[in-house]
Amino acid sequence: RILVLIRLKGGNDGLNMIVPMFDYGTYQANRPQIAIPQSQIIQLDNAHGIPNTMQDLMPLWNEGAMKVINSVGYNEHNLSHFTSSDIWNAANQDVASDTDQSGWLGRYILDCNPDYLENLPEVPGAIKISSGSNIAFHNQDRIDLAVNFNTPDRLLSIAETGNIYDTENLPDDCYYGEQVGFLRSIMNVTSNYAPQISESYNKAVNSVNYDDNELSRQLSIVARLIKGQLGTRLYMVTLDGFDTHENQNQKHPQLMNTIATAVSSFYDDLATENYDQDVLSMTFSEFGRRINENQGGTDHGTAAPIMMFGPALNGNGVLGKNPDL
């Protein structure tokens, strides 16, 4: 079974993602400019809806492959992007001062395989794309146990060639070219998992057409690695742009549409070979945003809903306590 974490970087406005129809009047009164109009909301149930920019998720909802968990957060929420992100990914509210700086999935990896660093497994325990310094897969010494790719293009290059750097097209007949070739070869050797990633990627194909956006590119690569039977069980992908202090009406609907189309294509792709049954995906962000708008945007808030996807959820539904508006 495989877990795919979809990181919404910047603090996602959960109230404009899972719209509180149970108290729509209060929601609208606090958001005269940015509230989603009722005519543009698709009902999930009698109390909750999603904006119509997310309509591509409705097949998953109707097939029982989507759930929402409301009001996810912690007491005395930290409103710093960096600290709150570390708290989320450590599952430890005292991570800033704790000698144990591990992430929750780093602890999981070591619990399953205590000798992970001394005897690296045959396949990566986790792969992160575009997630940078996120600590979810760190051990207590802040060593990252995931294989990291700063961009989907970097992972795609390795997947297609089996190497990080080209060692053939070098400057001709000069000492500089020899040195560049040597350094590139060393970097390629240090990437222990490039051959396995390349083999799995090239063994599979994407069976659907993905949109041309950052999240879709990341998930399309993950789908091929899963279908190519790489064997990695943990993935993290990232969509940036959720720090919507202003111009939220322009930015947020586009982000919601990107999530919906990318996730829908991802599961359609996996379903062509029944891999969707084994893959659970989950959105998360460092915090939500406040109910009252701030000159066309929203300020940092606290708890927020998360969405989960996959047939193994065995039915749709909204879980957890409704937010108190």
Side-chain angles (χ1 to χ4, degrees):
R1 291 175 180 165
I2 293 167
L3 174 65
V4 179
L5 294 172
I6 303 171
R7 179 188 179 202
L8 311 181
K9 184 179 178 184
N12 176 44
D13 181 10
L15 293 174
N16 272 22
M17 180 176 77
I18 306 300
V19 184
M21 304 303 294
F22 59 87
D23 194 2
Y24 186 82
T26 302
Y27 161 79
Q28 188 179 46
N30 280 275
R31 297 181 164 210
Q33 297 180 67
I34 67 166
I36 309 295
Q38 285 185 295
S39 61
Q40 297 175 20
I41 296 172
I42 302 171
Q43 295 280 127
L44 295 179
D45 58 24
N46 291 333
H48 309 89
I50 56 174
N52 60 10
T53 52
M54 302 178 73
Q55 62 187 354
D56 282 11
L57 292 179
M58 288 310 295
L60 286 168
W61 177 266
N62 293 331
E63 293 161 10
M66 174 181 169
K67 278 190 168 76
V68 173
I69 307 178
N70 255 330
S71 304
V72 182
Y74 53 88
N75 292 331
E76 298 179 13
H77 212 292
N78 187 291
L79 300 182
S80 158
H81 288 290
F82 308 103
T83 304
S84 189
S85 183
D86 282 354
I87 290 170
W88 259 96
N89 289 287
N92 175 7
Q93 203 160 343
D94 300 316
V95 64
S97 58
D98 202 325
T99 55
D100 182 348
Q101 306 255 301
S102 61
W104 70 281
L105 286 170
R107 295 193 295 274
Y108 171 76
I109 290 171
L110 291 176
D111 189 53
C112 294
N113 183 358
D115 297 327
Y116 186 90
L117 287 173
E118 289 74 23
N119 298 293
L120 286 174
E122 292 183 3
V123 298
I127 290 178
K128 278 193 313 190
I129 311 174
S130 302
S131 295
S133 60
N134 188 282
I135 71 168
F137 301 104
H138 284 196
N139 73 355
Q140 64 180 3
D141 298 318
R142 284 220 170 189
I143 295 174
D144 201 335
L145 306 182
V147 177
N148 286 278
F149 300 95
N150 289 334
T151 66
D153 291 337
R154 176 52 61 88
L155 175 53
L156 186 60
S157 173
I158 291 174
E160 289 175 339
T161 66
N163 296 305
I164 299 178
Y165 296 107
D166 179 9
T167 56
E168 299 295 329
N169 299 306
L170 301 169
D172 292 333
D173 300 323
C174 69
Y175 178 73
Y176 171 73
E178 293 176 5
Q179 295 303 302
V180 169
F182 173 75
L183 289 172
R184 288 182 178 181
S185 296
I186 293 296
M187 288 300 294
N188 288 340
V189 169
T190 61
S191 181
N192 296 304
Y193 294 118
Q196 296 94 315
I197 290 171
S198 179
E199 180 183 355
S200 298
Y201 179 83
N202 288 304
K203 200 162 69 175
V205 296
N206 292 123
S207 304
V208 302
N209 293 320
Y210 288 78
D211 285 359
D212 184 18
N213 61 63
E214 186 78 3
L215 184 59
S216 291
R217 284 193 291 274
Q218 294 175 62
L219 288 176
S220 70
I221 298 171
V222 172
R224 280 183 68 163
L225 295 178
I226 292 171
K227 293 165 73 175
Q229 299 180 330
L230 175 62
T232 294
R233 301 301 185 196
L234 301 170
Y235 293 89
M236 182 184 288
V237 297
T238 296
L239 179 62
D240 202 351
F242 287 88
D243 198 16
T244 51
H245 288 279
E246 58 186 6
N247 297 323
Q248 184 164 320
N249 279 347
Q250 286 71 48
K251 299 175 185 176
H252 201 258
Q254 294 174 359
L255 292 167
M256 294 297 100
N257 182 253
T258 295
I259 295 168
T261 56
V263 169
S264 174
S265 296
F266 180 59
Y267 275 95
D268 285 347
D269 195 358
L270 294 175
T272 58
E273 298 178 36
N274 292 323
Y275 283 102
D276 58 325
Q277 303 294 325
D278 297 325
V279 180
L280 177 71
S281 302
M282 184 187 90
T283 65
F284 76 101
S285 192
E286 59 263 44
F287 43 64
R289 306 191 82 83
R290 302 184 188 187
I291 180 173
N292 52 305
E293 68 180 44
N294 179 21
Q295 295 180 333
T298 44
D299 208 347
H300 300 178
T302 56
I306 64 174
M307 297 185 294
M308 305 185 85
F309 307 101
L313 290 168
N314 243 359
N316 62 32
V318 180
L319 311 175
K321 184 180 178 182
N322 286 333
D324 181 356
L325 302 189

